[in-house]
Coordinates of all heavy atoms in Angstrom, one line a residue:
M1 N -170.3 -52.8 -225.0 CA -170.4 -54.1 -224.3 C -171.5 -54.8 -224.8 O -172.6 -54.3 -225.1 CB -170.6 -53.8 -222.8 CG -169.5 -53.5 -221.9 SD -169.9 -53.2 -220.2 CE -169.8 -54.7 -219.4
P2 N -171.4 -56.0 -225.0 CA -172.4 -56.9 -225.6 C -173.3 -57.4 -224.5 O -173.6 -56.7 -223.4 CB -171.6 -58.1 -226.3 CG -170.4 -58.2 -225.5 CD -170.0 -56.7 -225.0
F3 N -173.9 -58.6 -224.8 CA -174.9 -59.2 -223.8 C -174.2 -59.4 -222.4 O -173.0 -59.9 -222.3 CB -175.4 -60.5 -224.3 CG -176.1 -61.3 -223.4 CD1 -177.6 -60.9 -223.3 CD2 -175.8 -62.4 -222.7 CE1 -178.4 -61.7 -222.5 CE2 -176.7 -63.1 -221.8 CZ -178.0 -62.6 -221.8
V4 N -174.9 -58.9 -221.4 CA -174.4 -59.2 -220.0 C -175.5 -60.0 -219.3 O -176.5 -59.6 -219.1 CB -174.2 -57.9 -219.2 CG1 -174.0 -58.1 -217.8 CG2 -173.2 -56.9 -220.0
A5 N -175.1 -61.3 -218.9 CA -176.1 -62.2 -218.2 C -176.2 -61.7 -216.9 O -175.2 -61.4 -216.2 CB -175.4 -63.6 -218.3
L6 N -177.5 -61.7 -216.5 CA -177.8 -61.3 -215.0 C -178.2 -62.4 -214.2 O -178.0 -62.4 -212.9 CB -179.0 -60.4 -215.0 CG -178.7 -59.0 -215.7 CD1 -180.1 -58.1 -215.8 CD2 -177.6 -58.2 -215.2
E7 N -178.9 -63.6 -214.8 CA -179.2 -64.6 -214.1 C -179.6 -65.9 -215.0 O -179.9 -65.7 -216.1 CB -180.5 -64.3 -213.2 CG -180.9 -65.4 -212.2 CD -179.9 -65.7 -211.3 OE1 -179.1 -66.6 -211.3 OE2 -179.9 -65.0 -210.1
K8 N -179.3 -67.1 -214.4 CA -179.8 -68.2 -215.0 C -181.3 -68.4 -215.0 O -181.8 -68.2 -213.9 CB -179.1 -69.4 -214.5 CG -177.5 -69.5 -214.7 CD -177.1 -69.8 -216.0 CE -175.8 -70.0 -216.3 NZ -175.3 -70.0 -217.7
L9 N -181.9 -68.8 -216.0 CA -183.4 -69.0 -216.0 C -184.0 -69.8 -214.9 O -184.9 -69.5 -214.3 CB -183.9 -69.4 -217.3 CG -183.6 -68.4 -218.5 CD1 -184.1 -69.0 -219.9 CD2 -184.4 -67.1 -218.3
H10 N -183.1 -70.9 -214.6 CA -183.6 -71.8 -213.6 C -183.6 -71.3 -212.2 O -184.2 -71.9 -211.3 CB -182.9 -73.3 -213.7 CG -181.6 -73.2 -213.2 ND1 -180.5 -72.8 -214.0 CD2 -181.0 -73.3 -212.1 CE1 -179.4 -72.8 -213.3 NE2 -179.6 -73.2 -212.0
Q11 N -183.1 -70.3 -212.1 CA -182.9 -69.6 -210.7 C -184.1 -68.6 -210.4 O -184.3 -68.1 -209.3 CB -181.6 -68.7 -210.6 CG -180.4 -69.5 -210.7 CD -180.2 -70.4 -209.4 OE1 -180.7 -70.1 -208.4 NE2 -179.5 -71.5 -209.6
L12 N -184.8 -68.3 -211.4 CA -186.0 -67.3 -211.3 C -187.2 -68.1 -210.7 O -187.6 -69.2 -211.0 CB -186.4 -66.7 -212.6 CG -185.3 -65.9 -213.3 CD1 -185.7 -65.5 -214.6 CD2 -184.8 -64.7 -212.4
Y13 N -188.0 -67.3 -209.8 CA -189.2 -67.7 -209.4 C -190.0 -66.6 -208.9 O -189.4 -65.5 -208.8 CB -189.0 -68.7 -208.0 CG -188.0 -68.0 -207.0 CD1 -188.7 -67.3 -206.0 CD2 -186.7 -68.1 -207.0 CE1 -187.9 -66.5 -205.1 CE2 -185.9 -67.5 -206.2 CZ -186.5 -66.7 -205.2 OH -185.7 -66.0 -204.1
D14 N -191.4 -66.7 -208.7 CA -192.2 -65.6 -208.2 C -191.7 -65.1 -207.0 O -191.5 -66.0 -205.9 CB -193.6 -66.0 -208.2 CG -194.2 -66.0 -209.6 OD1 -193.5 -65.6 -210.6 OD2 -195.4 -66.5 -209.7
G15 N -191.3 -63.9 -206.7 CA -191.0 -63.2 -205.4 C -189.4 -63.0 -205.6 O -188.8 -62.6 -204.6
Y16 N -188.6 -63.5 -206.7 CA -187.2 -63.3 -206.9 C -186.9 -61.8 -206.9 O -187.7 -61.0 -207.6 CB -186.8 -64.0 -208.2 CG -185.5 -63.8 -208.5 CD1 -184.5 -64.8 -208.2 CD2 -185.0 -62.8 -209.2 CE1 -183.2 -64.7 -208.5 CE2 -183.6 -62.5 -209.6 CZ -182.8 -63.5 -209.2 OH -181.5 -63.4 -209.4
R17 N -185.9 -61.5 -206.3 CA -185.4 -60.0 -206.4 C -183.8 -60.2 -206.3 O -183.2 -61.0 -205.5 CB -185.7 -59.3 -205.0 CG -187.2 -59.2 -204.8 CD -187.8 -58.1 -205.4 NE -189.2 -57.8 -205.1 CZ -190.1 -58.6 -205.4 NH1 -190.0 -59.6 -206.0 NH2 -191.4 -58.3 -204.8
K18 N -183.2 -59.4 -207.2 CA -181.7 -59.2 -207.3 C -181.3 -57.9 -207.6 O -181.6 -57.5 -208.8 CB -181.1 -60.4 -208.3 CG -179.6 -60.4 -208.4 CD -179.2 -61.3 -209.3 CE -177.6 -61.3 -209.5 NZ -177.2 -62.3 -210.5
P19 N -180.6 -57.2 -206.6 CA -180.2 -55.9 -207.0 C -178.9 -56.1 -207.9 O -178.2 -57.0 -207.6 CB -179.9 -55.3 -205.7 CG -180.1 -56.3 -204.6 CD -180.6 -57.5 -205.2
V20 N -178.7 -55.1 -208.9 CA -177.7 -55.3 -209.9 C -177.2 -53.9 -210.1 O -178.0 -52.9 -210.1 CB -178.2 -56.0 -211.3 CG1 -177.2 -56.0 -212.2 CG2 -178.8 -57.2 -211.0
K21 N -175.8 -53.7 -210.2 CA -175.3 -52.5 -210.6 C -174.8 -52.6 -212.0 O -173.8 -53.4 -212.2 CB -174.3 -52.0 -209.6 CG -173.8 -50.6 -209.9 CD -173.3 -50.1 -208.6 CE -173.1 -48.4 -208.6 NZ -173.9 -47.8 -207.7
L22 N -175.1 -51.9 -212.9 CA -174.7 -51.9 -214.3 C -174.4 -50.6 -214.9 O -175.4 -49.7 -214.7 CB -175.7 -52.6 -215.2 CG -175.7 -54.2 -215.2 CD1 -176.8 -54.5 -216.2 CD2 -174.4 -54.6 -215.7
A23 N -173.3 -50.3 -215.3 CA -173.1 -48.9 -216.1 C -173.3 -47.9 -215.1 O -173.8 -46.9 -215.5 CB -173.8 -49.0 -217.4
G24 N -173.0 -48.0 -213.8 CA -173.4 -47.0 -212.8 C -174.7 -46.9 -212.3 O -175.1 -45.9 -211.7
Q25 N -175.6 -47.7 -212.9 CA -177.1 -47.6 -212.4 C -177.4 -48.7 -211.4 O -176.9 -49.8 -211.7 CB -177.9 -47.8 -213.7 CG -177.9 -46.7 -214.6 CD -179.0 -46.8 -215.7 OE1 -180.2 -46.6 -215.4 NE2 -178.7 -47.3 -216.9
D26 N -178.2 -48.4 -210.5 CA -178.8 -49.5 -209.6 C -180.0 -49.8 -210.2 O -181.0 -49.2 -210.4 CB -179.0 -48.8 -208.3 CG -177.7 -48.5 -207.4 OD1 -176.7 -49.4 -207.5 OD2 -177.6 -47.4 -206.8
L27 N -180.1 -51.2 -210.5 CA -181.1 -51.9 -211.1 C -181.7 -53.1 -210.2 O -181.1 -53.4 -209.2 CB -180.8 -52.4 -212.5 CG -180.1 -51.4 -213.3 CD1 -179.7 -52.2 -214.6 CD2 -181.1 -50.3 -213.7
L28 N -182.9 -53.5 -210.5 CA -183.4 -54.5 -209.7 C -184.1 -55.6 -210.8 O -184.9 -55.2 -211.4 CB -184.6 -54.2 -208.8 CG -185.2 -55.2 -207.8 CD1 -184.3 -55.9 -207.0 CD2 -186.4 -54.5 -207.2
L29 N -183.6 -56.8 -210.7 CA -184.2 -57.9 -211.5 C -185.1 -58.6 -210.7 O -185.0 -58.9 -209.5 CB -183.0 -58.8 -211.9 CG -183.5 -60.1 -212.8 CD1 -184.0 -59.6 -214.2 CD2 -182.3 -61.0 -213.0
L30 N -186.4 -58.7 -211.0 CA -187.6 -59.3 -210.3 C -188.3 -60.0 -211.1 O -188.4 -59.9 -212.4 CB -188.2 -58.3 -209.5 CG -189.2 -57.2 -210.3 CD1 -190.4 -57.6 -210.3 CD2 -188.8 -55.9 -209.5
Q31 N -189.1 -61.1 -210.3 CA -190.1 -61.9 -211.1 C -191.3 -61.8 -210.3 O -191.2 -62.2 -208.9 CB -189.6 -63.3 -211.5 CG -190.7 -64.1 -212.2 CD -190.2 -65.4 -212.7 OE1 -189.2 -65.4 -213.4 NE2 -190.9 -66.5 -212.4
E32 N -192.5 -61.6 -210.9 CA -193.8 -61.8 -210.2 C -194.8 -62.4 -211.2 O -194.6 -61.9 -212.3 CB -194.3 -60.5 -209.7 CG -193.5 -59.9 -208.4 CD -193.6 -60.9 -207.2 OE1 -194.7 -61.6 -207.2 OE2 -192.7 -61.0 -206.4
N33 N -195.6 -63.2 -210.7 CA -196.6 -63.8 -211.6 C -196.1 -64.3 -212.9 O -196.6 -64.1 -214.0 CB -197.8 -62.8 -211.9 CG -198.4 -62.2 -210.7 OD1 -198.7 -62.9 -209.8 ND2 -198.7 -60.9 -210.6
G34 N -194.9 -64.8 -212.8 CA -194.3 -65.6 -214.0 C -193.6 -64.5 -215.0 O -193.1 -64.9 -216.0
K35 N -193.8 -63.2 -214.7 CA -193.2 -62.2 -215.6 C -191.8 -61.6 -214.9 O -191.8 -61.3 -213.8 CB -194.1 -61.0 -215.7 CG -193.6 -59.9 -216.6 CD -194.6 -58.8 -216.8 CE -193.9 -57.7 -217.6 NZ -194.6 -56.6 -217.6
T36 N -190.7 -61.6 -215.6 CA -189.5 -61.1 -215.2 C -189.3 -59.8 -215.7 O -189.7 -59.5 -216.9 CB -188.3 -62.0 -215.6 OG1 -188.6 -63.4 -215.3 CG2 -187.0 -61.6 -215.1
C37 N -188.8 -58.8 -214.9 CA -188.6 -57.4 -215.2 C -187.3 -57.0 -214.7 O -186.9 -57.4 -213.6 CB -189.7 -56.4 -214.5 SG -191.4 -56.9 -214.8
L38 N -186.7 -56.0 -215.4 CA -185.5 -55.3 -214.9 C -185.9 -53.8 -214.8 O -186.4 -53.2 -215.9 CB -184.5 -55.5 -215.8 CG -183.0 -54.8 -215.5 CD1 -182.5 -55.2 -214.1 CD2 -182.2 -54.9 -216.6
I39 N -186.0 -53.2 -213.6 CA -186.3 -51.8 -213.3 C -185.2 -51.3 -212.6 O -184.2 -51.8 -212.1 CB -187.6 -51.6 -212.4 CG1 -187.4 -52.4 -211.1 CG2 -188.8 -52.3 -213.4 CD1 -188.6 -52.2 -210.1
K40 N -185.4 -49.7 -212.7 CA -184.4 -49.0 -211.9 C -184.7 -49.1 -210.5 O -185.9 -49.1 -210.1 CB -184.6 -47.4 -212.3 CG -183.5 -46.6 -211.9 CD -183.5 -45.2 -212.5 CE -182.5 -44.3 -212.0 NZ -182.6 -43.0 -212.6
N41 N -183.8 -49.5 -209.7 CA -184.1 -49.9 -208.2 C -184.1 -48.6 -207.5 O -183.3 -48.2 -206.5 CB -182.8 -50.6 -207.7 CG -183.2 -51.3 -206.3 OD1 -184.4 -51.1 -205.9 ND2 -182.2 -51.9 -205.8
Q42 N -185.1 -47.8 -207.8 CA -185.5 -46.5 -207.2 C -186.9 -46.2 -207.4 O -187.5 -46.1 -208.4 CB -184.6 -45.4 -207.8 CG -184.6 -44.0 -207.3 CD -183.8 -43.1 -207.9 OE1 -183.0 -43.5 -208.7 NE2 -184.0 -41.8 -207.4
C43 N -187.5 -45.9 -206.2 CA -189.0 -45.5 -206.3 C -189.1 -44.2 -206.9 O -188.3 -43.3 -206.7 CB -189.6 -45.4 -204.9 SG -191.2 -44.8 -204.8
P44 N -189.9 -44.2 -208.1 CA -190.1 -42.7 -208.7 C -190.7 -41.7 -207.8 O -190.6 -40.5 -208.0 CB -191.1 -43.1 -209.8 CG -191.1 -44.5 -209.9 CD -190.8 -45.1 -208.6
H45 N -191.3 -42.0 -206.7 CA -191.8 -41.1 -205.7 C -190.6 -40.3 -204.8 O -190.7 -39.1 -204.8 CB -192.8 -41.7 -204.8 CG -193.3 -40.7 -203.8 ND1 -193.3 -41.1 -202.4 CD2 -194.0 -39.6 -203.8 CE1 -193.7 -40.1 -201.7 NE2 -194.3 -39.2 -202.5
A46 N -189.9 -41.1 -204.1 CA -189.0 -40.6 -203.2 C -187.6 -41.1 -203.2 O -186.7 -40.9 -202.4 CB -189.5 -40.7 -201.7
G47 N -187.4 -42.0 -204.4 CA -186.0 -42.5 -204.4 C -185.6 -43.7 -203.7 O -184.4 -44.1 -203.7
A48 N -186.5 -44.2 -202.9 CA -186.1 -45.3 -202.0 C -185.8 -46.7 -202.8 O -186.5 -46.7 -203.9 CB -187.3 -45.7 -201.1
P49 N -184.8 -47.5 -202.4 CA -184.7 -48.6 -203.0 C -185.8 -49.6 -203.0 O -186.6 -49.6 -202.0 CB -183.4 -49.5 -202.3 CG -182.8 -48.3 -201.3 CD -184.0 -47.2 -201.2
L50 N -186.0 -50.3 -204.2 CA -187.2 -51.2 -204.2 C -186.8 -52.7 -203.9 O -187.7 -53.5 -204.2 CB -187.8 -51.0 -205.5 CG -188.5 -49.7 -205.9 CD1 -188.9 -49.6 -207.3 CD2 -189.6 -49.4 -204.9
T51 N -185.6 -53.0 -203.5 CA -185.2 -54.4 -203.3 C -186.2 -55.1 -202.3 O -186.4 -56.2 -202.6 CB -183.8 -54.3 -202.7 OG1 -182.9 -53.6 -203.5 CG2 -183.2 -55.7 -202.6
H52 N -186.6 -54.5 -201.2 CA -187.6 -55.1 -200.4 C -189.0 -54.8 -200.5 O -189.9 -55.0 -199.7 CB -187.0 -54.8 -198.9 CG -185.7 -55.2 -198.7 ND1 -185.4 -56.6 -198.5 CD2 -184.6 -54.5 -198.6 CE1 -184.0 -56.7 -198.4 NE2 -183.5 -55.4 -198.4
A53 N -189.3 -54.3 -201.7 CA -190.8 -53.9 -202.1 C -191.5 -55.3 -202.1 O -191.0 -56.4 -202.4 CB -190.9 -53.4 -203.5
T54 N -192.8 -55.2 -201.6 CA -193.6 -56.4 -201.7 C -194.5 -56.2 -203.0 O -194.7 -55.3 -203.6 CB -194.5 -56.4 -200.4 OG1 -195.2 -55.3 -200.4 CG2 -193.6 -56.7 -199.3
C55 N -195.1 -57.4 -203.4 CA -196.0 -57.5 -204.3 C -197.4 -58.1 -204.0 O -197.4 -58.8 -203.1 CB -195.5 -58.5 -205.5 SG -194.5 -57.4 -206.7
S56 N -198.3 -57.4 -204.6 CA -199.6 -58.0 -204.4 C -200.4 -57.9 -205.7 O -200.6 -56.9 -206.2 CB -200.5 -57.2 -203.3 OG -201.9 -57.6 -203.3
G57 N -200.9 -59.1 -206.2 CA -201.3 -59.2 -207.6 C -200.3 -58.7 -208.6 O -199.2 -59.2 -208.5
N58 N -200.5 -57.6 -209.2 CA -199.6 -57.1 -210.2 C -199.0 -55.9 -209.8 O -198.5 -54.9 -210.6 CB -200.3 -56.9 -211.6 CG -199.3 -57.0 -212.7 OD1 -198.3 -57.5 -212.7 ND2 -199.6 -56.1 -213.8
A59 N -199.1 -55.5 -208.5 CA -198.6 -54.1 -208.0 C -197.4 -54.3 -207.1 O -197.4 -55.1 -206.1 CB -199.8 -53.7 -207.2
L60 N -196.4 -53.6 -207.4 CA -195.2 -53.5 -206.6 C -195.3 -52.5 -205.6 O -195.5 -51.2 -206.0 CB -193.9 -53.3 -207.5 CG -192.7 -53.2 -206.9 CD1 -192.2 -54.7 -206.5 CD2 -191.7 -52.8 -207.8
R61 N -195.1 -52.6 -204.3 CA -195.4 -51.7 -203.3 C -194.1 -51.2 -202.6 O -193.3 -52.1 -202.1 CB -196.3 -52.2 -202.2 CG -196.4 -51.4 -201.0 CD -197.5 -52.0 -199.9 NE -198.6 -51.3 -200.3 CZ -199.6 -51.0 -199.4 NH1 -199.6 -51.5 -198.2 NH2 -200.8 -50.4 -199.7
C62 N -193.8 -49.9 -202.7 CA -192.6 -49.4 -202.2 C -192.6 -49.5 -200.7 O -193.5 -49.3 -200.1 CB -192.5 -47.9 -202.5 SG -191.2 -47.0 -201.8
P63 N -191.5 -50.0 -200.1 CA -191.4 -50.2 -198.7 C -191.4 -49.0 -197.9 O -191.7 -48.8 -196.7 CB -190.1 -51.0 -198.4 CG -189.3 -50.7 -199.6 CD -190.2 -50.4 -200.7
L64 N -191.1 -47.8 -198.6 CA -191.0 -46.4 -197.8 C -192.3 -45.8 -197.5 O -192.7 -45.5 -196.3 CB -190.1 -45.4 -198.5 CG -189.7 -44.4 -197.8 CD1 -188.9 -44.4 -196.5 CD2 -188.9 -43.3 -198.8
H65 N -193.1 -45.6 -198.6 CA -194.3 -44.9 -198.3 C -195.6 -45.8 -198.7 O -196.6 -45.4 -198.6 CB -194.4 -43.6 -199.1 CG -193.5 -42.5 -198.6 ND1 -192.5 -41.9 -199.5 CD2 -193.4 -42.0 -197.4 CE1 -191.8 -41.1 -198.7 NE2 -192.4 -41.1 -197.5
G66 N -195.3 -47.0 -199.1 CA -196.4 -48.0 -199.6 C -197.1 -47.6 -200.8 O -198.1 -48.1 -201.1
I67 N -196.5 -46.8 -201.6 CA -197.3 -46.3 -203.0 C -197.0 -47.6 -203.9 O -195.9 -48.2 -203.9 CB -196.4 -45.2 -203.5 CG1 -196.8 -44.0 -202.9 CG2 -196.9 -45.0 -205.0 CD1 -196.1 -42.6 -203.2
E68 N -198.0 -47.9 -204.6 CA -198.0 -49.2 -205.5 C -198.0 -48.8 -207.0 O -198.4 -47.6 -207.3 CB -199.4 -50.0 -205.3 CG -199.5 -50.5 -203.9 CD -200.6 -51.5 -203.8 OE1 -201.6 -51.3 -204.6 OE2 -200.8 -52.3 -202.9
F69 N -197.2 -49.5 -207.7 CA -196.8 -49.4 -209.1 C -197.3 -50.6 -209.7 O -196.9 -51.7 -209.4 CB -195.4 -49.1 -209.3 CG -194.9 -47.8 -208.6 CD1 -194.4 -47.8 -207.3 CD2 -195.0 -46.5 -209.2 CE1 -194.0 -46.7 -206.7 CE2 -194.6 -45.4 -208.6 CZ -194.1 -45.4 -207.4
D70 N -197.9 -50.4 -210.9 CA -198.4 -51.5 -211.6 C -197.2 -52.2 -212.5 O -196.6 -51.4 -213.2 CB -199.4 -51.0 -212.7 CG -200.1 -52.0 -213.7 OD1 -199.3 -52.8 -214.3 OD2 -201.3 -52.2 -213.5
L71 N -196.9 -53.4 -212.4 CA -195.8 -53.9 -212.9 C -196.0 -54.1 -214.5 O -195.1 -54.6 -215.2 CB -195.4 -55.3 -212.4 CG -194.7 -55.3 -211.0 CD1 -194.6 -56.7 -210.4 CD2 -193.3 -54.6 -211.3
T72 N -197.2 -53.9 -215.1 CA -197.3 -54.0 -216.5 C -197.1 -52.7 -217.2 O -196.3 -52.7 -218.2 CB -198.7 -54.4 -216.9 OG1 -199.0 -55.6 -216.2 CG2 -198.9 -54.6 -218.3
T73 N -197.5 -51.5 -216.5 CA -197.3 -50.3 -217.1 C -196.2 -49.4 -216.5 O -195.8 -48.4 -217.1 CB -198.8 -49.5 -217.0 OG1 -199.0 -49.2 -215.6 CG2 -199.8 -50.2 -217.8
G74 N -196.0 -49.8 -215.3 CA -195.1 -48.9 -214.4 C -195.8 -47.7 -213.7 O -195.1 -47.1 -212.8
R75 N -197.0 -47.5 -214.1 CA -197.6 -46.3 -213.6 C -197.9 -46.5 -212.0 O -198.4 -47.6 -211.6 CB -198.9 -46.0 -214.2 CG -198.6 -45.4 -215.6 CD -199.8 -44.9 -216.2 NE -199.9 -45.2 -217.7 CZ -200.7 -46.0 -218.3 NH1 -201.8 -46.4 -217.7 NH2 -200.5 -46.4 -219.6
S76 N -198.0 -45.4 -211.3 CA -198.3 -45.4 -209.9 C -199.8 -45.5 -209.7 O -200.7 -45.1 -210.6 CB -198.0 -44.1 -209.2 OG -198.6 -43.9 -208.0
R77 N -200.2 -46.2 -208.6 CA -201.8 -46.3 -208.4 C -202.1 -45.2 -207.4 O -203.3 -45.3 -207.0 CB -202.0 -47.7 -207.9 CG -201.8 -48.8 -208.9 CD -202.1 -50.2 -208.4 NE -202.2 -51.1 -209.5 CZ -202.4 -52.4 -209.4 NH1 -202.7 -52.9 -208.2 NH2 -202.3 -53.3 -210.4
S78 N -201.2 -44.3 -207.1 CA -201.5 -43.3 -206.2 C -201.5 -41.9 -207.0 O -200.5 -41.6 -207.6 CB -200.6 -43.3 -205.0 OG -200.7 -42.2 -204.2
P79 N -202.4 -41.0 -206.6 CA -202.3 -39.5 -207.1 C -201.1 -38.8 -206.7 O -200.7 -37.8 -207.1 CB -203.6 -38.9 -206.8 CG -204.1 -39.8 -205.6 CD -203.5 -41.1 -205.8
V80 N -200.5 -39.3 -205.6 CA -199.3 -38.7 -204.9 C -198.1 -38.7 -205.8 O -197.2 -37.7 -205.8 CB -199.0 -39.3 -203.6 CG1 -197.7 -38.9 -203.0 CG2 -200.2 -39.2 -202.6
C81 N -198.0 -39.7 -206.6 CA -196.9 -39.9 -207.7 C -197.3 -39.9 -209.0 O -198.0 -40.9 -209.4 CB -196.1 -41.2 -207.2 SG -194.6 -41.5 -208.2
A82 N -196.8 -39.0 -209.8 CA -197.2 -39.0 -211.3 C -196.1 -39.8 -212.1 O -196.3 -40.1 -213.3 CB -197.3 -37.6 -211.8
N83 N -194.9 -40.1 -211.5 CA -193.9 -40.6 -212.3 C -194.1 -42.2 -212.2 O -194.8 -42.7 -211.4 CB -192.5 -40.3 -211.6 CG -192.3 -38.9 -211.7 OD1 -192.6 -38.4 -212.6 ND2 -191.6 -38.4 -210.6
A84 N -193.5 -42.9 -213.1 CA -193.7 -44.3 -213.4 C -192.3 -45.1 -213.1 O -191.2 -44.5 -213.3 CB -194.2 -44.6 -214.7
L85 N -192.4 -46.4 -212.9 CA -191.2 -47.2 -212.8 C -190.5 -47.1 -214.1 O -191.1 -47.0 -215.3 CB -191.5 -48.7 -212.6 CG -192.2 -49.0 -211.3 CD1 -192.7 -50.5 -211.2 CD2 -191.3 -48.8 -210.1
Q86 N -189.2 -47.2 -214.1 CA -188.4 -47.3 -215.4 C -187.9 -48.8 -215.7 O -187.1 -49.3 -214.8 CB -187.2 -46.4 -215.3 CG -187.6 -44.9 -215.1 CD -186.3 -44.0 -215.0 OE1 -185.3 -44.4 -215.4 NE2 -186.5 -42.9 -214.4
F87 N -188.4 -49.2 -216.7 CA -188.2 -50.6 -217.3 C -186.9 -50.6 -218.2 O -186.7 -49.7 -218.9 CB -189.3 -51.3 -217.9 CG -190.5 -51.6 -217.0 CD1 -191.3 -50.6 -216.8 CD2 -190.5 -52.7 -216.4 CE1 -192.6 -50.8 -216.0 CE2 -191.7 -53.0 -215.5 CZ -192.8 -52.0 -215.3
L88 N -186.1 -51.6 -218.1 CA -185.0 -51.7 -219.2 C -185.4 -53.1 -219.8 O -185.8 -54.1 -219.2 CB -183.6 -51.9 -218.4 CG -183.1 -50.6 -218.0 CD1 -183.7 -50.3 -216.4 CD2 -181.7 -50.5 -218.1
P89 N -185.2 -53.2 -221.1 CA -185.5 -54.4 -221.9 C -184.5 -55.5 -221.4 O -183.3 -55.4 -221.3 CB -185.2 -54.0 -223.4 CG -184.4 -52.8 -223.3 CD -184.6 -52.1 -222.0
L90 N -185.2 -56.8 -221.4 CA -184.4 -58.0 -221.1 C -184.2 -58.8 -222.4 O -185.1 -58.8 -223.2 CB -185.2 -58.8 -219.9 CG -185.0 -58.2 -218.6 CD1 -186.0 -59.0 -217.6 CD2 -183.7 -58.4 -218.1
I91 N -183.1 -59.6 -222.3 CA -182.9 -60.4 -223.5 C -182.6 -61.8 -222.9 O -182.0 -62.0 -221.8 CB -181.6 -59.9 -224.2 CG1 -181.8 -58.5 -224.8 CG2 -181.3 -61.0 -225.3 CD1 -180.6 -57.9 -225.5
Y92 N -183.4 -62.8 -223.6 CA -183.0 -64.2 -223.3 C -181.9 -64.7 -224.3 O -182.2 -64.6 -225.4 CB -184.4 -65.0 -223.4 CG -185.4 -64.6 -222.3 CD1 -186.2 -63.6 -222.6 CD2 -185.4 -65.3 -221.1 CE1 -187.2 -63.1 -221.7 CE2 -186.5 -64.8 -220.2 CZ -187.3 -63.8 -220.5 OH -188.2 -63.5 -219.5
E93 N -180.9 -65.3 -223.6 CA -179.8 -66.0 -224.5 C -179.5 -67.2 -223.9 O -179.0 -67.3 -222.7 CB -178.7 -65.0 -224.5 CG -177.7 -65.5 -225.5 CD -176.6 -64.4 -225.8 OE1 -176.8 -63.4 -226.4 OE2 -175.4 -64.7 -225.3
G94 N -179.8 -68.3 -224.6 CA -179.5 -69.7 -224.0 C -180.3 -69.9 -222.7 O -181.5 -69.6 -222.7
S95 N -179.6 -70.3 -221.7 CA -180.2 -70.5 -220.4 C -180.1 -69.3 -219.4 O -180.3 -69.4 -218.3 CB -179.6 -71.8 -219.8 OG -178.2 -71.5 -219.5
S96 N -179.8 -68.2 -219.9 CA -179.6 -66.9 -219.3 C -180.6 -65.8 -219.6 O -181.1 -65.8 -220.8 CB -178.3 -66.4 -219.4 OG -177.3 -67.3 -218.8
I97 N -180.7 -64.9 -218.7 CA -181.5 -63.6 -219.0 C -180.6 -62.5 -218.7 O -179.8 -62.7 -217.7 CB -182.7 -63.5 -218.2 CG1 -183.7 -62.4 -218.7 CG2 -182.6 -63.4 -216.7 CD1 -185.0 -62.5 -218.1
G98 N -180.6 -61.4 -219.4 CA -179.7 -60.3 -219.2 C -180.1 -59.2 -220.1 O -181.3 -59.0 -220.6
V99 N -179.1 -58.4 -220.3 CA -179.2 -57.0 -221.1 C -178.2 -56.9 -222.1 O -177.0 -57.5 -222.0 CB -179.2 -55.8 -220.2 CG1 -180.4 -55.8 -219.2 CG2 -178.0 -55.7 -219.3
D100 N -178.5 -56.1 -223.1 CA -177.5 -55.9 -224.1 C -177.0 -54.3 -224.0 O -177.9 -53.5 -224.1 CB -178.1 -55.9 -225.5 CG -177.1 -55.7 -226.7 OD1 -176.0 -55.3 -226.3 OD2 -177.5 -55.9 -227.9
L101 N -175.8 -54.2 -223.5 CA -175.2 -52.9 -223.3 C -174.5 -52.3 -224.5 O -173.8 -51.3 -224.3 CB -174.5 -52.8 -222.0 CG -174.9 -53.2 -220.7 CD1 -174.0 -53.2 -219.7 CD2 -176.2 -52.3 -220.3
G102 N -174.8 -52.9 -225.6 CA -174.1 -52.4 -226.8 C -174.7 -51.1 -227.4 O -175.5 -50.6 -227.1

């Protein structure tokens, strides 16, 4: 599969969240502090969905246990979780943002 558009750029804003299912994976397209990310929609600690996670500064906070993950590195800010968020690369094409499944 080639480029798959996930959203129009003009729809993005800080606090944006959109759960997406692609190739059997649950993903989350989000934007915070002007940065758009596509991550696996699963907390690396206990597997909870991150759709309703909150952000403070550059940290994404899991709604289940409150563990925070750095949105730049994906690393947990808690010693309880050694695993990191899984990022997928985004591609900008015209007025859309998406992924290349090729």
Side-chain angles (χ1 to χ4, degrees):
M1 279 172 94
F3 177 79
V4 176
L6 299 176
E7 189 60 270
K8 295 284 186 190
L9 294 174
H10 73 272
Q11 297 290 332
L12 299 173
Y13 56 89
D14 285 351
Y16 178 93
R17 305 273 188 287
K18 180 180 180 180
V20 178
K21 189 157 194 118
L22 277 178
Q25 290 190 76
D26 289 318
L27 306 174
L28 181 64
L29 180 65
L30 64 99
Q31 181 172 308
E32 287 298 332
N33 299 319
K35 181 182 177 193
T36 307
C37 303
L38 182 63
I39 61 172
K40 193 168 184 181
N41 193 6
Q42 183 177 353
C43 176
H45 171 244
L50 296 172
T51 305
H52 300 292
T54 57
C55 273
S56 175
N58 202 37
L60 185 72
R61 173 175 263 211
C62 175
L64 185 61
H65 292 119
I67 294 175
E68 293 185 344
F69 297 89
D70 187 299
L71 280 174
T72 303
T73 65
R75 289 191 220 120
S76 168
R77 294 183 172 178
S78 168
V80 172
C81 180
N83 299 325
L85 294 173
Q86 294 180 28
F87 292 91
L88 286 88
L90 285 167
I91 296 171
Y92 294 86
E93 188 172 290
S95 63
S96 297
I97 190 167
V99 293
D100 184 355
L101 296 179

